[in-house]
PDB file of all heavy atoms in Angstrom:
ATOM      1  N   GLU A  57     102.267  78.080 127.693  1.00  0.00           N
ATOM      2  CA  GLU A  57     102.497  79.469 128.064  1.00  0.00           C
ATOM      3  C   GLU A  57     101.197  80.283 128.016  1.00  0.00           C
ATOM      4  O   GLU A  57     100.953  81.138 128.870  1.00  0.00           O
ATOM      5  CB  GLU A  57     103.543  80.098 127.145  1.00  0.00           C
ATOM      6  CG  GLU A  57     104.954  79.572 127.396  1.00  0.00           C
ATOM      7  CD  GLU A  57     105.999  80.474 126.760  1.00  0.00           C
ATOM      8  OE1 GLU A  57     105.864  81.711 126.888  1.00  0.00           O
ATOM      9  OE2 GLU A  57     106.930  79.939 126.147  1.00  0.00           O
ATOM     10  N   LEU A  58     100.371  80.024 127.021  1.00  0.00           N
ATOM     11  CA  LEU A  58      99.103  80.754 126.924  1.00  0.00           C
ATOM     12  C   LEU A  58      98.162  80.418 128.072  1.00  0.00           C
ATOM     13  O   LEU A  58      97.406  81.281 128.537  1.00  0.00           O
ATOM     14  CB  LEU A  58      98.426  80.456 125.584  1.00  0.00           C
ATOM     15  CG  LEU A  58      99.144  80.975 124.335  1.00  0.00           C
ATOM     16  CD1 LEU A  58      98.365  80.567 123.085  1.00  0.00           C
ATOM     17  CD2 LEU A  58      99.292  82.494 124.386  1.00  0.00           C
ATOM     18  N   LEU A  59      98.211  79.161 128.545  1.00  0.00           N
ATOM     19  CA  LEU A  59      97.325  78.761 129.655  1.00  0.00           C
ATOM     20  C   LEU A  59      97.667  79.488 130.943  1.00  0.00           C
ATOM     21  O   LEU A  59      96.805  79.673 131.808  1.00  0.00           O
ATOM     22  CB  LEU A  59      97.404  77.243 129.874  1.00  0.00           C
ATOM     23  CG  LEU A  59      96.726  76.380 128.796  1.00  0.00           C
ATOM     24  CD1 LEU A  59      96.931  74.901 129.083  1.00  0.00           C
ATOM     25  CD2 LEU A  59      95.227  76.691 128.723  1.00  0.00           C
ATOM     26  N   LYS A  60      98.926  79.897 131.063  1.00  0.00           N
ATOM     27  CA  LYS A  60      99.321  80.645 132.259  1.00  0.00           C
ATOM     28  C   LYS A  60      98.605  82.000 132.339  1.00  0.00           C
ATOM     29  O   LYS A  60      98.479  82.576 133.412  1.00  0.00           O
ATOM     30  CB  LYS A  60     100.833  80.862 132.258  1.00  0.00           C
ATOM     31  CG  LYS A  60     101.641  79.576 132.413  1.00  0.00           C
ATOM     32  CD  LYS A  60     103.134  79.868 132.317  1.00  0.00           C
ATOM     33  CE  LYS A  60     103.957  78.567 132.394  1.00  0.00           C
ATOM     34  NZ  LYS A  60     105.402  78.828 132.250  1.00  0.00           N
ATOM     35  N   GLN A  61      98.168  82.497 131.195  1.00  0.00           N
ATOM     36  CA  GLN A  61      97.469  83.785 131.169  1.00  0.00           C
ATOM     37  C   GLN A  61      95.982  83.655 131.493  1.00  0.00           C
ATOM     38  O   GLN A  61      95.308  84.661 131.721  1.00  0.00           O
ATOM     39  CB  GLN A  61      97.599  84.426 129.779  1.00  0.00           C
ATOM     40  CG  GLN A  61      99.021  84.730 129.355  1.00  0.00           C
ATOM     41  CD  GLN A  61      99.071  85.322 127.962  1.00  0.00           C
ATOM     42  OE1 GLN A  61      98.099  85.254 127.207  1.00  0.00           O
ATOM     43  NE2 GLN A  61     100.211  85.901 127.615  1.00  0.00           N
ATOM     44  N   CYS A  62      95.473  82.452 131.512  1.00  0.00           N
ATOM     45  CA  CYS A  62      94.028  82.230 131.711  1.00  0.00           C
ATOM     46  C   CYS A  62      93.699  82.259 133.204  1.00  0.00           C
ATOM     47  O   CYS A  62      93.925  81.280 133.918  1.00  0.00           O
ATOM     48  CB  CYS A  62      93.591  80.902 131.099  1.00  0.00           C
ATOM     49  SG  CYS A  62      93.759  80.864 129.301  1.00  0.00           S
ATOM     50  N   ASP A  63      93.179  83.386 133.657  1.00  0.00           N
ATOM     51  CA  ASP A  63      92.808  83.525 135.063  1.00  0.00           C
ATOM     52  C   ASP A  63      91.305  83.784 135.220  1.00  0.00           C
ATOM     53  O   ASP A  63      90.859  84.432 136.163  1.00  0.00           O
ATOM     54  CB  ASP A  63      93.596  84.661 135.706  1.00  0.00           C
ATOM     55  CG  ASP A  63      93.400  85.983 134.976  1.00  0.00           C
ATOM     56  OD1 ASP A  63      92.726  85.982 133.932  1.00  0.00           O
ATOM     57  OD2 ASP A  63      93.916  87.010 135.469  1.00  0.00           O
ATOM     58  N   TYR A  64      90.510  83.317 134.282  1.00  0.00           N
ATOM     59  CA  TYR A  64      89.070  83.538 134.295  1.00  0.00           C
ATOM     60  C   TYR A  64      88.436  82.797 135.466  1.00  0.00           C
ATOM     61  O   TYR A  64      88.592  81.588 135.618  1.00  0.00           O
ATOM     62  CB  TYR A  64      88.475  83.063 132.976  1.00  0.00           C
ATOM     63  CG  TYR A  64      86.991  83.330 132.831  1.00  0.00           C
ATOM     64  CD1 TYR A  64      86.498  84.618 132.784  1.00  0.00           C
ATOM     65  CD2 TYR A  64      86.089  82.270 132.720  1.00  0.00           C
ATOM     66  CE1 TYR A  64      85.143  84.869 132.629  1.00  0.00           C
ATOM     67  CE2 TYR A  64      84.734  82.507 132.564  1.00  0.00           C
ATOM     68  CZ  TYR A  64      84.271  83.815 132.525  1.00  0.00           C
ATOM     69  OH  TYR A  64      82.917  84.064 132.373  1.00  0.00           O
ATOM     70  N   THR A  65      87.701  83.526 136.326  1.00  0.00           N
ATOM     71  CA  THR A  65      87.097  82.921 137.517  1.00  0.00           C
ATOM     72  C   THR A  65      85.614  82.625 137.354  1.00  0.00           C
ATOM     73  O   THR A  65      85.040  81.898 138.161  1.00  0.00           O
ATOM     74  CB  THR A  65      87.283  83.839 138.731  1.00  0.00           C
ATOM     75  OG1 THR A  65      86.685  85.116 138.449  1.00  0.00           O
ATOM     76  CG2 THR A  65      88.764  84.035 139.029  1.00  0.00           C
ATOM     77  N   GLY A  66      85.002  83.218 136.333  1.00  0.00           N
ATOM     78  CA  GLY A  66      83.589  82.935 136.115  1.00  0.00           C
ATOM     79  C   GLY A  66      82.805  84.173 135.710  1.00  0.00           C
ATOM     80  O   GLY A  66      83.351  85.269 135.557  1.00  0.00           O
ATOM     81  N   LEU A  67      81.481  83.995 135.573  1.00  0.00           N
ATOM     82  CA  LEU A  67      80.590  85.036 135.064  1.00  0.00           C
ATOM     83  C   LEU A  67      79.654  85.518 136.166  1.00  0.00           C
ATOM     84  O   LEU A  67      79.075  84.715 136.902  1.00  0.00           O
ATOM     85  CB  LEU A  67      79.759  84.470 133.901  1.00  0.00           C
ATOM     86  CG  LEU A  67      78.673  85.369 133.319  1.00  0.00           C
ATOM     87  CD1 LEU A  67      79.285  86.578 132.617  1.00  0.00           C
ATOM     88  CD2 LEU A  67      77.789  84.567 132.355  1.00  0.00           C
ATOM     89  N   THR A  68      79.512  86.839 136.259  1.00  0.00           N
ATOM     90  CA  THR A  68      78.531  87.441 137.157  1.00  0.00           C
ATOM     91  C   THR A  68      77.367  87.968 136.330  1.00  0.00           C
ATOM     92  O   THR A  68      77.574  88.725 135.380  1.00  0.00           O
ATOM     93  CB  THR A  68      79.153  88.592 137.965  1.00  0.00           C
ATOM     94  OG1 THR A  68      80.208  88.087 138.786  1.00  0.00           O
ATOM     95  CG2 THR A  68      78.101  89.252 138.856  1.00  0.00           C
TER      96      THR A  68
END
Side-chain angles (χ1 to χ4, degrees):
E57 289 196 44
L58 293 179
L59 288 177
K60 293 177 183 178
Q61 299 178 345
C62 295
D63 57 355
Y64 184 65
T65 58
L67 174 67
T68 298

